[in-house]
């Protein structure tokens, strides 16, 4: 792999604009090479004689130089580098006594083609200064964050002493901590001299541990002036109560989200969990910052060596020396911070087990396994074979014209169609993951997946192909058992096959054992619970993204309702039901369709209250219009004698909801239709290089949005297609539209993160310091 591709692949994608623009510099070098190739022949002919004469003179002059010695240990002055060989001079511009940007003076600009090389060094300086400024800014941020984490650790250890009340060899640690020991404000980011000159010991190193085992250790502690964390810190600290649960949300309505400490074990456990998460995320930030520094240094080295190779000069040495001496090459704050974080985490959160601690701080990347590829290929092949077998069976037995066709389509088809909707949605998600990875959209960070647990497209295809194989096996076994004279007596068992399949799927989904991607299953379940309790849970992107997916699975929810009606109150043994005649079923038919949109509506209201952004209010109105349209359209479709009044209401509400949703999809969610964009009617930054993809997606989104209006438009039946099959086709088109929407929605979110250099999650810290109460904290 060429360095340019490897460089792009290893970037922190949200920081890609802050990296050295390797492509731009390489394109300038190509211009220099092209110029030299065009002027190569005349240049060579004109300088052949001069080169020969100069070479002879150099060889003759070398006979009179001082001998440098066989071991090359002695270097006289005449052997030093000649200033005439210098190509560039690099200097730092002083701004107010502070070292500022770096500038390179190209000394050969008078030569033919020198303007190209002069342009190269100007662009090179711009890129280096950009990288240097960004790196300095990020290092300053992590140092401030390290100070804050140190204060959090002060409070945590004081709380630990207060709660645990440890006694070590007869010494009450609480009383010792209450003696008013005053500690200097220490932090992770700076070293403080301890005991008159020992450097490098930080706050994390001087904290009294409660696991002392003998008197010698206690004496050693006293000799080095070790003390427990001062408990007076707790007098100036409140605990942050994050609104992550319904109870916490309801409590926050009555009182502030910051409460006094109660010194309970639950409080200590919660604080420890939050600080642990903060340390893991902080260490990840340090690792990415170190990678950023290394990759850019490597990129400057590569581009300068390429310059030397093309121009036959020796400028790389001088420039790379400057890079090494600059803050980018000489700063070691990040490396030191990483070491201190490792020591602190191992000491306080891993019980001194370094291997365990580093395993948490440095999670291994997930390895691609060939068996997954083999299994999803095998399951897909079997699924295709079953589809062919079902088609052949239907055609051979002429089931489409049989007397039981309508009975089967009304009673059995909706049961199996549920699995079809789920499989189709999973296939679309697998395609999303594939293209997100291909175009470097950091979907795992956006969704908040724990590193190493996110499902790749192969894993999603494995699950979808496995579910399709299970469902298709149920369909063909259902047909065979019904047609085979030997199994006709097992009619009840035959009708229960769809129910068995549903129970198997639900059992796997809620299985507590660590099988079949448990972390991903529990992540999904947690997001579903957050959607159900939307107004009482803090709304995050995975929650409202999942709620959007559910709005495209309305027919799947109706299939679940039919399961309950068919097996609960229907005569499934005789393959008949009276669900359509029940008023309760009709009301629930509307409610079930509204529920996903209601989730999104209350999520928008919650975000409107928290963020005070009117855009969330407008988004809520959009979903409310959709709720109205779905309700009126469903009532109209269930009328035996359809009236013009309900038709006009259904058409009007559906039209308004469709236009509002389409506009929001394209303009707000996708960020397209920008008239002033450099890409006509799109946006300035595009992930997909082919602009036609965006125009096609906008048109397709508009067309598929109209599919749900087929009832209002009077398209109730299609030749050779049963009514329930038409409903399934329309529902499938909506799932396909949602799959397309997913890609561009996350692409726009990713570009927003790139524009704001947002590459890390903000982890809420447990303690809040009241700075106004005591400035010395």
């Amino acid at each position: 792999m060429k360095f340019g591709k490897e460089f792009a692949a290893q970037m922190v994608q949200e920081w890609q604009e802050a990296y050295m623009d390797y492509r731009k510099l390489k394109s300038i070098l190509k211009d220099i090479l092209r110029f030299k190739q065009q002027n190569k022949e005349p240049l060579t002919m004109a300088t052949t004689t001069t080169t020969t004469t100069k070479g002879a003179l150099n060889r003759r002059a070398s006979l009179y130089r001082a001998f440098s010695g066989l071991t090359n240990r002695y270097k006289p002055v005449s052997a030093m580098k000649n200033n005439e060989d210098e190509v560039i001079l690099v200097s730092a511009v002083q701004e107010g006594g502070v070292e500022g940007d770096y500038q390179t003076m190209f000394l050969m600009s008078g030569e033919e083609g020198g303007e190209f090389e002069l342009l190269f060094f100007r662009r090179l300086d711009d890129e280096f200064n950009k990288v240097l400024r960004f790196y300095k800014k990020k290092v300053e941020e992590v140092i401030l964050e390290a100070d804050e984490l140190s204060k959090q650790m002060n409070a945590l250890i004081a709380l630990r002493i207060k709660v645990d009340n440890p006694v070590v060899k007869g010494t009450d640690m609480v009383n010792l901590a209450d003696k008013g020991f005053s500690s200097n404000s220490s932090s992770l980011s700076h070293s403080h001299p301890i005991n008159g000159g020992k450097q490098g010991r930080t706050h994390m190193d001087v904290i009294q541990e409660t696991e002392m085992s003998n008197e010698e250790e206690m004496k050693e502690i006293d000799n080095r002036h070790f003390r427990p964390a001062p408990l007076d810190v707790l007098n100036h600290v409140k605990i942050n109560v994050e609104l992550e649960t319904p109870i916490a949300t309801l409590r926050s309505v009555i009182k502030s989200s910051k409460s006094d400490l109660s010194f309970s074990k639950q409080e200590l456990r919660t604080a420890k969990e939050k600080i642990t998460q903060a340390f893991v995320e902080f260490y990840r930030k340090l690792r990415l910052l170190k990678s950023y520094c290394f990759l850019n240094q490597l990129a400057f080295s590569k581009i300068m060596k390429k310059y030397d190779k093309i121009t036959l000069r020796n400028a790389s040495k001088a420039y790379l020396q400057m890079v090494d001496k600059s803050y980018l090459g000489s700063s070691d704050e990040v490396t030191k911070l990483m070491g201190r974080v490792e020591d602190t985490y191992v000491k306080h959160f891993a019980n001194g087990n370094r291997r365990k601690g580093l395993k948490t701080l440095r999670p291994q990347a997930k390895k691609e396994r060939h068996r997954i590829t083999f299994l999803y290929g095998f399951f897909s092949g079997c699924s295709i074979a079953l589809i062919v077998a079902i088609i052949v069976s239907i055609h051979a037995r002429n089931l489409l014209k049989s007397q039981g066709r309508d009975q089967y389509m009304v009673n059995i088809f909706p049961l199996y169609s549920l699995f079809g909707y789920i499989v189709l949605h999973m296939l679309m998600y697998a395609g999303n993951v594939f293209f997100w990875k291909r175009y470097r959209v950091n979907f795992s960070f956006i969704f908040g997946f724990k590193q190493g647990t996110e499902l790749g497209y192969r894993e999603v295809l494995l699950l979808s192909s496995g579910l399709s194989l299970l469902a298709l096996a149920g369909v063909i076994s259902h047909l065979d058992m019904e047609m085979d004279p030997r199994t006709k007596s097992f009619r009840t068992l035959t009708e229960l096959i769809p129910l068995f399949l549903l129970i198997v799927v639900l059992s796997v989904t809620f299985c507590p054992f660590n099988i079949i991607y448990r972390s991903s299953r529990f992540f999904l379940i947690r997001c579903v619970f957050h959607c159900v309790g939307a107004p009482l849970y803090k709304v995050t992107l995975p929650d409202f993204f999942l709620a959007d997916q559910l709005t495209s699975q309305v027919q799947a929810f109706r299939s679940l309702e039919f399961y309950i009606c068919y097996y609960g109150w229907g005569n499934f043994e005789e393959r008949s039901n009276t669900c359509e005649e029940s008023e309760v079923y009709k009301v629930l038919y509307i409610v079930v369709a509204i529920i996903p949109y209601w989730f999104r509506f209350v999520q928008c209201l919650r975000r409107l209250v928290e963020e005070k952004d009117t855009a969330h209010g407008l988004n809520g109105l959009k979903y409310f219009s959709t709720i109205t349209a779905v309700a009126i359209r469903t009532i109209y479709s269930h009328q035996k004698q359809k009236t013009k009044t309900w038709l006009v209401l259904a058409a009007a509400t559906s039209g308004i909801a469709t236009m509002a949703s389409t506009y929001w999809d394209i303009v707000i969610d996708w960020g397209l239709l920008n008239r002033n964009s450099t890409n006509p009617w799109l946006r300035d930054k595009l992930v997909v290089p082919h602009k036609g993809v965006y125009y096609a997606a906008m048109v397709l989104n508009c067309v598929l949005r109209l599919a749900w209006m087929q009832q209002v438009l009077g398209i109730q039946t299609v030749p050779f297609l049963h009514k329930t099959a038409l409903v399934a086709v329309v529902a499938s088109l909506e799932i396909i539209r949602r799959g397309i929407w997913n890609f561009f929605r996350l692409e726009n979110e990713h570009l927003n993160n790139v524009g704001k250099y947002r590459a890390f999650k903000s982890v809420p810290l447990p303690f809040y310091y009241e700075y106004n109460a005591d400035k010395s904290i």
Side-chain angles (χ1 to χ4, degrees):
M1 180 185 292
K2 291 186 177 181
F3 175 75
K5 293 183 178 179
E6 186 178 354
F7 182 58
Q10 294 186 17
M11 284 182 181
V12 179
Q13 294 304 315
E14 289 76 11
W15 292 351
Q16 56 184 328
E17 293 185 355
Y19 281 82
M20 187 191 83
D21 195 339
Y22 188 81
R23 286 185 178 180
K24 181 170 71 175
L25 294 174
K26 190 176 177 181
S27 65
I28 298 176
L29 289 181
K30 288 182 178 179
D31 292 338
I32 296 174
L33 178 61
R34 193 177 301 113
F35 176 82
K36 288 185 175 295
Q37 288 176 345
Q38 291 174 354
N39 297 272
K40 184 177 181 180
E41 290 185 3
L43 184 64
T44 304
M45 292 173 61
T47 58
T48 301
T49 306
T50 306
T51 304
T52 304
T53 305
K54 186 177 180 181
L57 291 173
N58 287 337
R59 283 193 298 272
R60 185 178 301 175
S62 65
L63 297 175
Y64 303 100
R65 288 179 183 170
F67 184 58
S68 58
L70 294 175
T71 58
N72 203 25
R73 293 179 181 177
Y74 172 69
K75 290 187 177 181
V77 178
S78 59
M80 299 299 290
K81 181 180 177 180
N82 193 343
N83 290 335
E84 295 180 358
D85 295 334
E86 291 183 359
V87 180
I88 58 173
L89 290 176
V90 187
S91 59
V93 179
Q94 298 290 331
E95 297 179 357
V98 180
E99 189 176 271
D101 292 346
Y102 286 86
Q103 288 184 356
T104 302
M105 180 183 295
F106 181 56
L107 304 178
M108 305 294 181
S109 58
E111 294 184 0
E112 189 175 7
E115 63 275 9
F116 292 103
E117 298 181 53
L118 184 61
L119 176 63
F120 170 78
F121 282 107
R122 286 178 180 174
R123 295 291 179 267
L124 186 67
D125 287 342
D126 291 341
E127 295 300 319
F128 180 75
N129 292 323
K130 176 187 72 175
V131 170
L132 188 60
R133 284 192 294 268
F134 181 82
Y135 184 69
K136 283 183 178 179
K137 179 183 176 183
K138 289 299 176 183
V139 171
E140 291 172 359
E141 289 177 2
V142 296
I143 289 175
L144 292 175
E145 190 171 346
D147 290 336
E148 181 61 33
L149 281 177
S150 297
K151 295 174 183 177
Q152 296 289 319
M153 283 300 299
N154 259 329
L156 176 67
I157 296 172
L159 179 62
R160 180 187 294 169
I161 295 174
K162 188 74 173 179
V163 173
D164 294 341
N165 193 16
V167 177
V168 182
K169 291 295 180 178
T171 303
D172 190 343
M173 304 299 290
V174 175
N175 292 334
L176 186 61
D178 277 334
K179 287 183 179 180
F181 164 67
S182 66
S183 60
N184 295 329
S185 66
S186 51
S187 68
L188 278 171
S189 58
H190 296 87
S191 299
H192 300 280
I194 295 177
N195 200 15
K198 292 183 180 180
Q199 298 287 340
R201 299 201 54 83
T202 64
H203 154 71
M204 299 303 173
D205 299 317
V206 300
I207 293 171
Q208 170 66 40
E209 291 295 316
T210 61
E211 293 87 356
M212 298 303 171
S213 58
N214 51 52
E215 295 181 0
E216 286 76 14
E217 289 179 344
M218 292 295 293
K219 291 178 181 179
E220 183 183 355
I221 290 173
D222 291 336
N223 292 335
R224 292 191 295 178
H225 303 287
F226 271 39
R227 292 290 187 274
L231 295 186
D232 62 345
V233 171
L234 300 178
N235 298 329
H236 310 286
V237 165
K238 289 183 178 292
I239 189 166
N240 287 327
V241 181
E242 286 296 318
L243 310 182
E244 296 176 351
T245 63
I247 296 176
T249 303
L250 294 175
R251 285 178 179 174
S252 68
V253 177
I254 304 173
K255 59 182 181 178
S256 171
S257 61
K258 298 179 178 64
S259 62
D260 293 327
L261 292 167
S262 60
F263 308 116
S264 64
K265 288 187 177 295
Q266 177 61 34
E267 204 168 56
L268 176 63
R269 191 181 307 113
T270 303
K272 184 178 178 180
E273 289 175 357
K274 289 185 176 181
I275 293 183
T276 301
Q277 185 181 2
F279 264 91
V280 172
E281 189 65 20
F282 181 63
Y283 188 78
R284 176 176 172 268
K285 183 182 296 186
L286 293 175
R287 290 182 67 192
L288 293 183
L289 196 55
K290 186 176 181 180
S291 171
Y292 172 85
C293 177
F294 170 76
L295 278 179
N296 278 290
Q297 288 185 74
L298 184 60
F300 283 110
S301 175
K302 291 285 185 179
I303 203 68
M304 285 305 301
K305 289 180 181 179
K306 192 176 287 291
Y307 169 82
D308 285 355
K309 183 178 179 181
I310 291 175
T311 61
L312 301 178
R313 302 187 191 278
N314 188 22
S316 60
K317 184 176 181 180
Y319 199 89
L320 295 180
Q321 283 179 350
M322 179 275 296
V323 173
D324 291 339
K325 293 178 181 179
S326 68
Y327 186 82
L328 185 70
S330 62
S331 171
D332 60 350
E333 281 91 345
V334 174
T335 304
K336 287 182 178 179
L337 268 177
M338 290 180 69
R340 292 167 188 161
V341 171
E342 290 173 2
D343 294 340
T344 303
Y345 189 87
V346 169
K347 186 176 184 181
H348 293 280
F349 303 107
N351 294 324
N353 189 333
R354 189 167 185 83
R355 178 178 295 179
K356 178 183 176 182
L358 293 184
K359 185 177 180 181
T360 305
L361 290 175
R362 304 174 185 174
Q364 297 294 323
K366 187 170 60 176
K367 297 180 180 179
E368 298 289 346
R369 298 181 178 177
H370 296 295
R371 69 184 181 199
I372 294 177
T373 305
F374 169 77
L375 285 176
Y376 88 70
F378 176 73
F379 290 161
S380 300
C382 292
S383 299
I384 294 173
L386 287 176
I387 292 174
V388 173
I390 292 171
I391 295 173
V392 171
S393 178
I394 292 174
H395 180 73
R397 297 171 182 176
N398 200 19
L399 298 179
L400 292 177
K401 297 181 180 179
S402 64
Q403 295 180 353
R405 172 178 177 264
D406 290 337
Q407 190 180 21
Y408 184 90
M409 294 299 295
V410 171
N411 295 279
I412 303 301
F413 184 81
L415 301 177
Y416 285 113
S417 63
L418 170 65
F419 303 103
Y421 301 142
I422 298 174
V423 169
L424 179 59
H425 212 135
M426 293 175 72
L427 290 175
M428 295 302 297
Y429 180 71
N432 291 149
V433 172
F434 175 80
F435 286 107
W436 286 332
K437 282 192 173 183
R438 179 176 179 180
Y439 294 110
R440 299 188 179 93
V441 175
N442 196 355
F443 71 97
S444 58
F445 166 71
I446 295 173
F447 287 138
F449 293 141
K450 187 178 179 181
Q451 187 176 356
T453 63
E454 71 277 5
L455 296 183
Y457 73 94
R458 291 183 178 87
E459 288 84 358
V460 180
L461 285 176
L462 173 64
L463 294 174
S464 60
S465 59
L467 180 58
S468 67
L469 177 61
L470 193 65
L472 290 170
V475 171
I476 197 168
S477 61
H478 200 143
L479 291 174
D480 287 342
M481 290 177 70
E482 185 178 356
M483 297 298 176
D484 195 337
R486 294 173 296 179
T487 56
K488 279 189 175 181
S489 58
F490 303 106
R491 185 175 183 85
T492 302
L493 181 61
T494 303
E495 297 300 314
L496 287 174
I497 290 177
L499 183 60
F500 290 152
L501 290 177
L502 181 61
I503 292 173
V504 169
V505 172
L506 292 177
S507 300
V508 171
T509 303
F510 292 95
C511 178
F513 302 110
N514 192 13
I515 57 174
I516 313 179
Y517 309 114
R518 183 179 65 176
S519 61
S520 297
R521 289 189 286 109
F522 282 12
F523 183 86
L524 176 64
I525 293 170
R526 183 169 63 253
C527 290
V528 170
F529 281 143
H530 288 182
C531 290
V532 173
L536 301 178
Y537 281 100
K538 184 177 178 64
V539 182
T540 60
L541 188 142
D543 298 337
F544 69 73
F545 190 86
L546 177 62
D548 278 324
Q549 308 308 303
L550 297 180
T551 59
S552 296
Q553 287 285 3
V554 169
Q555 206 56 43
F557 284 101
R558 286 174 170 171
S559 295
L560 284 174
E561 179 194 6
F562 184 75
Y563 262 95
I564 298 172
C565 179
Y566 184 70
Y567 287 107
W569 292 275
N571 188 7
F572 66 89
E573 296 179 355
E574 299 296 329
R575 193 177 286 179
S576 64
N577 71 87
T578 57
C579 297
E580 294 290 340
E581 301 173 4
S582 171
E583 293 298 326
V584 176
Y585 181 84
K586 290 180 180 179
V587 173
L588 290 178
Y589 197 77
I590 299 173
V591 173
V592 165
I594 288 174
I595 285 176
Y597 298 102
W598 175 258
F599 291 161
R600 284 298 288 124
F601 175 68
V602 293
Q603 283 177 343
C604 292
L605 292 183
R606 171 68 185 258
R607 296 188 71 185
L608 176 63
V609 172
E610 285 187 342
E611 302 176 20
K612 311 298 182 185
D613 189 351
T614 55
H616 298 310
L618 296 175
N619 198 16
L621 288 177
K622 181 198 74 174
Y623 284 106
F624 186 78
S625 68
T626 306
I627 290 172
T628 306
V630 170
I632 294 177
R633 190 170 66 249
T634 306
I635 294 172
Y636 172 74
S637 65
H638 278 88
Q639 285 183 335
K640 294 182 179 179
Q641 295 181 350
K642 294 179 172 53
T643 60
K644 290 186 178 180
T645 303
W646 280 101
L647 174 61
V648 172
L649 284 175
T653 54
S654 297
I656 293 172
T658 300
M659 289 187 291
S661 299
T662 303
Y663 172 83
W664 198 274
D665 286 345
I666 296 175
V667 178
I668 307 300
D669 290 339
W670 294 359
L672 303 178
L673 286 183
N674 185 357
R675 287 195 309 177
N676 300 322
S677 171
T678 54
N679 302 302
W681 295 102
L682 298 178
R683 61 172 114 83
D684 292 337
K685 298 177 183 178
L686 302 175
V687 168
V688 182
H690 307 290
K691 298 178 184 178
V693 173
Y694 295 90
Y695 296 116
M698 287 190 287
V699 173
L700 198 58
N701 185 76
C702 295
V703 173
L704 294 179
R705 274 286 185 187
L706 296 174
W708 74 330
M709 292 187 65
Q710 48 89 21
Q711 294 175 344
V712 178
L713 297 174
I715 306 174
Q716 300 292 334
T717 58
V718 175
F720 307 108
L721 196 62
H722 196 272
K723 180 181 178 181
T724 54
L726 177 61
V727 171
V729 169
V730 173
S732 299
L733 292 176
E734 169 59 21
I735 294 172
I736 293 172
R737 187 200 66 80
R738 179 61 62 184
I740 298 172
W741 178 89
N742 288 345
F743 175 81
F744 296 102
R745 174 65 183 89
L746 231 66
E747 178 207 16
N748 191 35
E749 183 71 20
H750 171 73
L751 292 176
N752 289 335
N753 290 340
V754 171
K756 298 176 182 178
Y757 300 108
R758 189 167 50 206
F760 311 103
K761 295 183 295 181
S762 58
V763 180
L765 297 174
F767 301 109
Y768 167 74
Y769 277 81
E770 294 180 312
Y771 292 97
N772 295 330
D774 189 350
K775 298 292 184 180
S776 64
I777 295 178

